[in-house]
Amino acid sequence: MTNPHPYAKLTPEVVLDVLDAATAVLVIANQELTTLKSASRLAGVLRQRCGNDRVKLAISRHDTESEIQTKDVERVLGGRIDYTFPSDYRAAVGALKAGWDYAEATFTKQDPFFLEAMNETAGKILIEGNAAGVKGWDIANTF
């Protein structure tokens, strides 16, 4: 059975071909420690693959009052921050709405996928996450 979704063809080889052809690769992180840890690893791998000059860095939801300042992010990510996107909820929602309205007016849906309500499970909690983890642990330890 084949998956008609266009991302289904996004094999590691295709991703590498795209990276090789790109003139710039943008790593976007925020000022949270876990994000910075992952972004640091990603930026390092991309620099090895693409070179320092093609890897650009950005901070999303940038907060000038954060304990983690831009200079700290630059130190962790190993380079100068090229772009910052402010933490402005109203502006973000406005941009989202403008983009949605534009897409709705301009594009026609091409793929066969649709979002549908999950009516069979609506309003029911099948199993709470921590309980599922405990049950999984219990099962794993019985063998």
Side-chain angles (χ1 to χ4, degrees):
M1 179 167 160
T2 60
N3 184 346
H5 197 279
Y7 294 153
K9 297 177 183 175
L10 220 55
T11 64
E13 294 79 16
V14 171
V15 172
L16 293 176
D17 288 345
V18 169
L19 283 174
D20 290 342
T23 57
V25 180
L26 182 62
V27 176
I28 303 174
N30 59 37
Q31 291 160 291
E32 297 170 1
L33 292 175
T34 54
T35 303
L36 290 172
K37 181 178 178 183
S38 298
S40 176
R41 286 194 305 251
L42 177 62
V45 169
L46 288 172
R47 282 189 188 99
Q48 287 178 350
R49 177 77 190 190
C50 304
N52 287 336
D53 56 324
R54 291 190 353 197
V55 177
K56 308 296 180 196
L57 305 174
I59 301 175
S60 69
R61 296 185 301 155
H62 184 248
D63 179 3
T64 57
E65 303 299 318
S66 174
E67 290 182 21
I68 300 173
Q69 294 294 305
T70 301
K71 65 181 180 184
D72 301 320
V73 175
E74 290 177 332
R75 184 178 45 78
V76 169
L77 297 183
R80 179 179 61 86
I81 299 300
D82 299 288
Y83 310 98
T84 58
F85 305 101
S87 183
D88 185 339
Y89 177 78
R90 288 178 194 216
V93 169
L96 178 65
K97 180 163 178 14
W100 181 272
D101 292 345
Y102 173 79
E104 238 181 3
T106 308
F107 302 110
T108 304
K109 187 169 174 12
Q110 301 292 323
D111 64 43
F113 301 100
F114 297 93
L115 296 176
E116 296 179 14
M118 295 176 58
N119 293 330
E120 292 178 21
T121 58
K124 299 176 185 172
I125 296 178
L126 302 178
I127 188 167
E128 189 266 333
N130 289 333
V134 170
K135 288 184 187 301
W137 176 257
D138 289 345
I139 292 169
N141 287 322
T142 57
F143 298 105

